[in-house]
Amino acid sequence: MCKAMQRAISHSPRSMTMVGVCLHLFPTMIAAAYPWYLATFYQLLHSKSVASAFFSLCLALAVPGTAFISLHSLARIQPMRSEALILLRLTYITFISPSLYVLVGVLLYLMKFDGRDLQVWIAMWLILLITAWLTCVSRRGEVLSPLASESTRTVRLIHGVVASIVLVVFVFAHLINHTFGLFGVEVHEAIMIYLRHLYRSPFVEPVILVLIIFQIVSGLVLVEAKIRTIQSMFDALQTASGLYLAVFITSHLTAVFVLGRHAGVETDFKWATALPAGLLADPWAVRLIPHYFLGIWLLLIHVACGGRIVLLAHRVKPRAADTVCGLLIVASTLWTAVILAGVVGVRV
């Protein structure tokens, strides 16, 4: 698919062909059916068709997967033209579909529009597709100048420093806590109670929240600046994962503080994993499986890619920096798998 995209792009020196536009719209087209993949996964799983259920889950994950292939291809186009930028933005939105679907569900629940998730979701993607298509057709060939990287240098520096603080004080402790979910709810909660003395203290918690909000806002600024520049695979991963995290964290904070703590509900491991029934037993909660998986995995990947940038800034050879980043991504995948196993109910 990626090679086909490249051929369609390179066919015209002036602008992207209509075939190229259609190929890059494909991930968004299949994103419109994302709720159906999850519903089919749930139905097949409970009819004991495990292999078919797994295939449906793979279809759901194919939405961000194909979106990344597309955005990586688009990110290598220079000079950047208007239709490529429009498609790139649309593809980034497609990439965040799993967490976006959760956020849509949470917001509709808060607005008392229960059961309207599918209709709103399909309407949203139809509007995006039609808008992108019409804009691409009307603005084909317009060359866009890249934004100067120096303009965001200060933002990048502060973003990295704040990220380090949040990772050390909260994120890594939170992930380690979830890792112990594999050993049972009691073990998880014992560690959680201990850690909450730190990150839920009256002084620390507001500071963490402010820093996280800053990370979301500054991250969006960096994404917009980086979207017009040539990106390697690791650069594209860093940008895409950062945007995904912005939506994931927004959804997570909304659920925790509005649906949970504001309503007087204990936001512990039982709440997050829909116990005692579990995520696999609830047709709404199954959307949390790819949401959690990609949220944790892309968080760790984002950190790994950020570390690669630091290594390059310290004049480490690109091949060595890429190797370190690749190894960290492998380790991140294993760690994510362990956490997700505990989340879906596996116990040792």
Side-chain angles (χ1 to χ4, degrees), residues 250-313:
T250 300
S251 174
H252 196 60
L253 290 179
T254 303
V256 168
F257 285 96
V258 181
L259 294 182
R261 291 167 67 174
H262 179 71
V265 177
E266 176 59 59
T267 56
D268 55 9
F269 191 66
K270 295 177 184 177
W271 174 81
T273 58
L275 292 175
L279 298 181
L280 295 173
D282 184 86
W284 194 98
V286 292
R287 74 182 70 189
L288 296 176
I289 297 172
H291 168 71
Y292 285 153
F293 166 68
L294 290 173
I296 298 167
W297 190 48
L298 292 174
L299 167 64
L300 296 172
I301 285 178
H302 194 68
V303 173
C305 292
R308 171 180 170 271
I309 297 299
V310 173
L311 291 176
L312 292 174

Side-chain angles (χ1 to χ4, degrees), residues 55-74:
F55 178 73
S56 296
L57 185 60
C58 288
L59 285 177
L61 293 174
V63 173
T66 56
F68 181 77
I69 293 173
S70 178
L71 68 87
H72 181 218
S73 175
L74 288 165

